[in-house]
Amino acid sequence: MNIETKCLHSGYTPKKGEPCALPIYQSTTFKYDTTDEMGQLFDLKAEGYFYTRLQNPTNDAVAAKIADLEGGAAALLTSSGQAANFYAVFNICEAGDHVVAASTIYGGTFNLLAVTLEKLGISCTFVDTDASPEEISAAFQPNTKLLFAETIANPALVVLDIEKFAKVAHEHEVPLIVDNTFATPVNCRPFEWGADIVTHSTTKYMDGHGLQVGGAIVDSGNFDWSRYGSKYHGLTEPDESYHGIIYTERFGKKAYITKATSQLMRDLGSIPSPNNCFLLNIGLETLPLRMERHCSNAQKVAEYLNDHEKVASVNFAGLPGDKYYALAQKYLPKGSCGVISFELKGGREAAVRFMDSLEMANIATHVAASKTMVLHPASHTHRQMNDEQLRAAGVAPGLIRLSVGIEHIDDILADLEKALKNA
Ligand code: PLP
């Protein structure tokens, strides 16, 4: 099946007389007839549902769809993108371990790696996403367990050279984890370029309507955990908290996701509600249609802004002059995403006047939703910084982040045009 068809049909196939729409199994628990039947589930010897924190049929159907869209072996849904990235790392790292990550990643993930995981004894070295393989290699230590990056970085819009990162990761015998939130599997499937694990904030394009906060982890099943002795001992040696199960022996290509479910979800519990998974599934059904429109609208908006006298610069990988144009042509031939950033010549004051003159676009911290949304980092996400500090952080005072929606392009351009007159 093509991805458009998978978005509609994967994960849930109704049998005769069953509902065509994915049912919401809004139940915490599931009933069994004998003590032994349920005991088998606790031992992971039989497959089935007993408690929604571990598994739920609605959630599983959506996880299976996302695994299929990415071309993976298995997936786990979480209650947020933050939880997905935390679990993806913590599933194979413990105190004393080390991670290498691209420096341009989303601020929340940067903080998770630089501050919160550090408190748990997991250290991180950040590398420039555009660095040479040798420079990235130099960041590795004997205790490094993974390499982490984003396909399209939020908000820097840096496009990842996935093959370069995968090669370095594999030379150091660690998996490459790629957060594929902005590209979505419609525009890029990182496994096809060598990534081993993919994560998502499903809050963004996958949902598309700004209805639910959620996350996903997908494992390609390609990384051979058993090959490196006791390096990934949590997967390759008996789990005493699960009756001595060895995940790689029992679950093969599904070992990583099964361990994340049976250990991390059991103990930390960041499960999405079945109702949220139902909403996410509705979003997934139209993902390819929406991505096509997001990308074509964003291309026209980027070209319009690029030619505008009040605009100093535009970041968008679809513009031939953009630093990441060549990488986008290779990894994102159908388009990158709908997010653009641009700098107004008039600086901070012009940016505020522009924002306040918009009528249709929503001022919101959200991105990657059907409605056009706009944010002024200097007034919002980076508000505590003065102009000098902003420049040091690579955020110009006049920078605007624009998440182009799927409205008619003429209406988006008319709104921008009016606001730019006042900028
Ligand atoms: N990853 C990326 C690329 C993001 O942009 C975000 C949020 O903006 C996250 C992860 C975190 O996701 P969530 O907000 O769903 O926790």
Side-chain angles (χ1 to χ4, degrees):
M1 287 196 286
N2 290 291
I3 198 150
E4 291 79 357
T5 316
K6 286 183 180 180
C7 278
L8 288 153
H9 293 281
S10 279
Y12 173 65
T13 312
K15 298 190 197 75
K16 189 173 138 190
E18 288 184 347
C20 292
L22 173 65
I24 308 173
Y25 287 86
Q26 192 71 41
S27 179
T28 56
T29 25
F30 301 83
K31 173 192 171 282
Y32 288 90
D33 291 335
T34 67
T35 321
D36 188 51
E37 269 174 358
M38 205 156 85
Q40 297 283 323
L41 300 177
F42 272 92
D43 281 352
L44 300 182
K45 283 189 180 142
E47 279 195 27
Y49 299 97
F50 58 107
Y51 192 56
T52 283
R53 169 153 44 80
L54 288 158
Q55 278 189 298
N56 173 284
T58 310
N59 300 19
D60 279 4
V62 184
K65 177 178 282 187
I66 293 175
D68 198 22
L69 298 182
E70 287 287 5
L76 169 68
L77 299 188
T78 56
S79 57
S80 68
Q82 281 301 111
N85 282 329
F86 173 52
Y87 281 22
V89 172
F90 204 54
N91 203 28
I92 46 173
C93 289
E94 59 192 28
D97 286 342
H98 173 256
V99 167
V100 178
S103 57
T104 45
I105 52 175
Y106 167 63
T109 316
F110 187 94
N111 216 52
L112 168 71
L113 295 173
V115 181
T116 303
L117 284 175
E118 177 82 34
K119 288 183 193 159
L120 296 177
I122 299 165
S123 56
C124 180
T125 304
F126 291 97
V127 291
D128 185 342
T129 318
D130 299 331
S132 68
E134 295 71 32
E135 286 167 319
I136 302 169
S137 265
F140 279 73
Q141 302 175 5
N143 56 343
T144 304
K145 291 290 174 68
L146 63 94
L147 178 60
F148 185 97
E150 290 173 3
T151 317
I152 305 169
N154 175 18
L157 303 177
V158 169
V159 176
L160 180 68
D161 187 341
I162 306 175
E163 283 189 317
K164 175 181 78 179
F165 266 62
K167 193 160 177 285
V168 175
H170 296 156
E171 275 166 9
H172 289 272
E173 304 179 338
V174 305
L176 170 64
I177 304 184
V178 172
D179 182 330
N180 197 31
T181 298
F182 270 28
T184 84
V186 171
N187 284 349
C188 179
R189 288 180 292 283
F191 296 155
E192 293 171 5
W193 302 100
D196 302 285
I197 291 156
V198 155
T199 60
H200 282 278
S201 164
T202 62
T203 319
K204 308 292 173 335
Y205 288 118
M206 282 193 169
D207 172 308
H209 303 81
L211 298 179
Q212 57 86 52
V213 175
I217 310 170
V218 190
D219 182 16
S220 65
N222 294 336
F223 193 81
D224 187 356
W225 310 104
S226 314
R227 201 169 151 193
Y228 308 107
S230 60
K231 186 169 182 179
Y232 297 103
H233 62 90
L235 283 152
T236 59
E237 290 173 7
D239 175 3
E240 295 315 331
S241 75
Y242 248 118
H243 323 293
I245 275 180
I246 298 177
Y247 290 99
T248 43
E249 278 182 8
R250 178 78 76 84
F251 299 103
K253 282 181 177 288
K254 295 188 175 175
Y256 173 89
I257 291 295
T258 309
K259 177 179 180 289
T261 308
S262 42
Q263 285 183 347
L264 300 183
M265 206 49 99
R266 177 194 64 190
D267 298 347
L268 303 171
S270 316
I271 198 80
S273 73
N275 193 62
N276 272 3
C277 293
F278 170 82
L279 294 171
L280 170 59
N281 187 53
I282 295 177
L284 286 170
E285 291 193 352
T286 57
L287 182 64
L289 284 176
R290 289 185 287 105
M291 287 313 288
E292 203 178 312
R293 177 69 85 91
H294 278 294
C295 292
S296 67
N297 275 357
Q299 183 70 35
K300 286 173 194 147
V301 169
E303 285 166 10
Y304 164 80
L305 291 171
N306 207 32
D307 289 341
H308 202 284
E309 57 183 18
K310 290 192 176 174
V311 175
S313 61
V314 180
N315 297 315
F316 182 68
L319 290 177
D322 192 87
K323 188 176 173 194
Y324 298 102
Y325 182 74
L327 281 175
Q329 292 296 301
K330 174 175 174 180
Y331 292 109
L332 303 152
K334 284 160 76 180
S336 55
C337 64
V339 185
I340 295 174
S341 66
F342 64 99
E343 187 187 343
L344 286 170
K345 287 182 185 160
R348 182 188 288 264
E349 289 73 26
V352 172
R353 285 197 302 274
F354 166 81
M355 299 280 291
D356 291 348
S357 306
L358 289 165
E359 280 179 15
M360 185 193 72
N362 294 183
I363 295 179
T365 45
H366 194 43
V367 281
S370 302
K371 291 174 185 160
T372 295
M373 294 186 178
V374 69
L375 178 125
H376 177 217
S379 301
H380 304 134
T381 46
H382 296 65
R383 161 173 202 93
Q384 71 284 5
M385 297 182 180
N386 60 33
D387 285 8
E388 205 177 308
Q389 290 169 323
L390 280 173
R391 276 192 205 94
V395 178
L399 190 81
I400 305 274
R401 186 183 73 182
L402 177 65
S403 176
V404 180
I406 59 172
E407 299 94 343
H408 195 288
I409 184 63
D410 293 350
D411 296 324
I412 299 173
L413 292 176
D415 201 30
L416 294 175
E417 177 130 345
K418 196 160 23 67
L420 280 167
K421 277 199 183 109
N422 296 332

